[in-house]
Amino acid sequence: MNIDKKTKIVALITLVIGFILGALFFSGIGSDKQEQTTEVSAKAEVWTCSMHPQIRQPEPGDCPICGMDLIPLESDTDAADPDAISMSESAMIIAGISTYKVGNTDGIKEIAMNGKIEVNEKTLYSQSSHIPGRIERILVSFVGEYVKKGEVVAYVYSPELASAQQELLEAYSVKDIQPQLLESVKMKLKNWKVSDATINKIISTGKKQDQFPIYADVSGYIIKKNVELGDYLEKGQTLYEVADLSKVWVLFEIYESDLGLIKKGNTVNYTIASFPGETFSGTISFIDPFINPTTRVARARIEVPNKGLKFKPEMFVSGTVKTKVDSKKSTISVPKTAVMWTGKRSIVYIKNESVKGISFKLREVTLGPLVGNEYIIEEGLEIGEEIVANGTFNVDAAAQLAGKPSMMNREGGKTTTGKNDGGTKMVMSDAKKVVLKEDKTAISTEAKKSLQPLYKNYFDFKDALTKDDFDTAKKALLDFEKSLAKINMSVVKGEAHNVWMNYEAALKKQISGSSNLKDIKAVRMHFEPISNVMIAMTKAFNPLNESTYVQFCPMANNDKGANWLSKENKVVNPYFGASMLKCGEVKETIK
């Protein structure tokens, strides 16, 4: 009995100890698992949008706001360089990032040109009539017909020639008395290109000719016919235009960007669609000294022989010319997809590999000419360095969001999305800050009505900028100025009157000189400060009977970001127009 009791006590103690040890053991495992899970979660990638950094998703996809591809946002705490952005190999693949090792180029640029075959203007000739009168017979029937020098091309009846022939016969009858008169009449007929043989025939027969022939002065092909049977001709009037096609011109169009590279004497290889498989070549003999103001191109000329009339005017031609690029310091080149530029700066991203992984760092470069699909690099890179060739924008966006130096932020630091948390807007005018209150201020229905034309002109102004329509945008801005001048300030009373006076003064400063604007870029510079005033006024007075939307583009205003007011929720960018039409987001709704 005692033995059984002792045995039960020992078994119970053993069981309790087992529970305690088990709890401690499994608790440690659970803790380890939790730590591992936390560590894995910490290392999980976050995907965001370069234009809308508030978007955070655990997997790649499209931005729900603008539809752009999301980019990876990773922690850079382990990066070797604090200015570099780290990225895993899997993230590089998903973001479409590939690299290129910098190397030399021969500096030979192959320029493609288009053109056509045209008549050699040196051989153009206008066949004119030396006889005034009516065409009785015409022997040139159609354009393209060949005429030979000395061939009769038309017969003309001329009242003046009929009178001159009568004078000739009368002068001949008194030649012994007045020989000078006969010579004078003969000279008159010769000025009309009446031959000596014809004059002698008239004298010998004593009969006048009713019709006189017009002879071809040169041989060639008719390219334009100006008269028909029965037409009355003035002396010197053109019958037709003729060209010698034994030599023709090949005229190529040269864009302004290529004019500095193409020189007289360059050899051009070209093909013609009518002769597949054949390649022709020629030397540039002349380049236009001016630019066509409509097409913005100059033309380069090649003169070629046209044996058998193989080349027909107006045939289309495609050609290439190889030219040596004059580089100042080096012949290093990179793909043009590797370069991002803001107009003032050109940047690339350098790839670095270390034990801590792969990172990319921004570097400014000095660009030379564009050679095919590659830029010559004058300064900033060394042979053998590896740069981002494709996906540069994705790397730059990731750097921007991580607070690293980027195209839009040279010094680095966290970027802002353009949100204004205060109750006022700051409008820049003449380098002075004008504070405009956005606090709600009541105005009468009559005052709201007086503001409607101003808003209409503003929205017309905005819509024209989205379409890159300079003329319409300028007209809308001038109409905006007129509407502002017509607003009756007496209907805005009390405290609202003082608020309105501030808005009016700010708008007048921004629209001053608008009549002298010459291009769409200058017009857009006025739009941003005007928009700030209109947004502040809309929040304060609430004069519209519909919701309006404050929209924001982070790349406008020299990458500082800019707002505008829209009646539609859909983003249509007025700062960049067709080049970045959907760039931006809705920041606020004014109901």
Side-chain angles (χ1 to χ4, degrees), residues 286-347:
F286 180 80
I287 297 177
D288 285 345
F290 50 81
I291 295 288
N292 185 305
T294 303
T295 61
R296 308 305 303 165
V297 298
R299 298 194 299 179
R301 178 200 306 164
I302 298 174
E303 297 185 22
V304 297
N306 191 19
K307 186 177 180 180
L309 302 181
K310 182 174 184 177
F311 301 133
K312 307 292 190 293
E314 301 301 321
M315 281 183 170
F316 286 108
V317 178
S318 298
T320 57
V321 59
K322 292 184 178 180
T323 181
K324 178 73 173 178
V325 175
D326 295 328
S327 181
K328 296 179 181 178
K329 297 183 179 180
S330 67
T331 54
I332 293 176
S333 66
V334 299
K336 65 179 182 180
T337 55
V339 180
M340 299 181 70
W341 57 277
T342 63
K344 297 181 180 179
R345 295 192 301 141
S346 300
I347 66 168

Side-chain angles (χ1 to χ4, degrees), residues 95-98 337 388-396:
I97 297 170
S98 61
T337 55
V388 177
N390 293 297
T392 312
F393 181 82
N394 289 337
V395 175
D396 185 80

